[in-house]
Amino acid sequence: MKVWVKALSLLVSLSASVSAFDDLTLEGQFTQGGLIRGQLPGVSKAWFNDTPLPVSADGRFVFGVGRDAPANHELHLERDGKKVTKSLQFSPRQYDIQRVNGVAQKYVTPPSDVTERIRRDNQKVRIVRTTQSALPYIFTTPIMPAAGRISGVYGSQRIFNGEPRNPHYGLDVAAPTGTPVIAPLSGTVLLADDLYYSGLTLIIDHGFGVSSTFMHLDSFTVQEGAKVVQGDQIGTIGATGRVTGPHLDWRINWQQERLDPALLPGLAITLPKAK
Ligand SMILES: [Zn+2]
């Protein structure tokens, strides 16, 4: 038995030295909607599947998968002219069905005169989300942006006034209008605007392609271009846009993927039990 354990540990250390990238660390939850932080000192290039990843001076990078991502992915890393591919598995999740009734009908079936506005809103948000800054804040530990009851979770299939619509990609915190909203991570305000569906909306860049979106606000306390520090007030909870009551909808994007804020590594959060 002892000999067997010794042989096994020799085998493990051998295969590790063959890969030569045994100092790679990956942090996060390997499930749909998860954001993963990686570090490999000295890494020169990194790709998640076919997407090139910006790498910090100390070898950090970040990536994630969306709500309906397949299980199998690949991380490609290059150091000292050597390339290694690591297979990564992300587990599937089951999502709730959320029925939302009492939504103003103009938000379920928008009148034709707002079609152009919705198109412009989407365009603005899409452009803002192409930001790739070197801000290091996604590598710090996030805090919740508001105190209150978790009233909606990531991924739920939503039915508005009986009509199926897109899934929910945010984490909802219900609290009275005027409740402070604070920055969960430091960053730069990319957008502070009034959008049709999401009402008063803030987007904050945390760096390396990761941004937070805060929707349905009652007010902003920061402007576009402002630098915010984690814990700074950025606005107040409201009921603007497609809502049935005051709440914050907090979203996390990595590049064009929508991730689950509740899965951010290090975030202290207790989610309600699924029904
Ligand atoms: Zn929401």
Side-chain angles (χ1 to χ4, degrees), residues 158 168 170-172 216 247-249 251:
R158 289 191 303 179
H168 188 243
L171 181 67
D172 289 340
H216 313 308
H247 74 279
L248 171 69
D249 185 329
R251 302 190 175 197

Side-chain angles (χ1 to χ4, degrees), residues 7-23 84:
L8 187 70
S9 68
L10 183 69
L11 191 70
V12 168
S13 68
L14 264 179
S15 67
S17 67
V18 165
S19 80
F21 287 12
D22 54 328
D23 51 341
V84 164

Side-chain angles (χ1 to χ4, degrees), residues 168-185:
H168 188 243
Y169 291 101
L171 181 67
D172 289 340
V173 180
T177 293
T179 301
V181 176
I182 61 172
L185 291 163

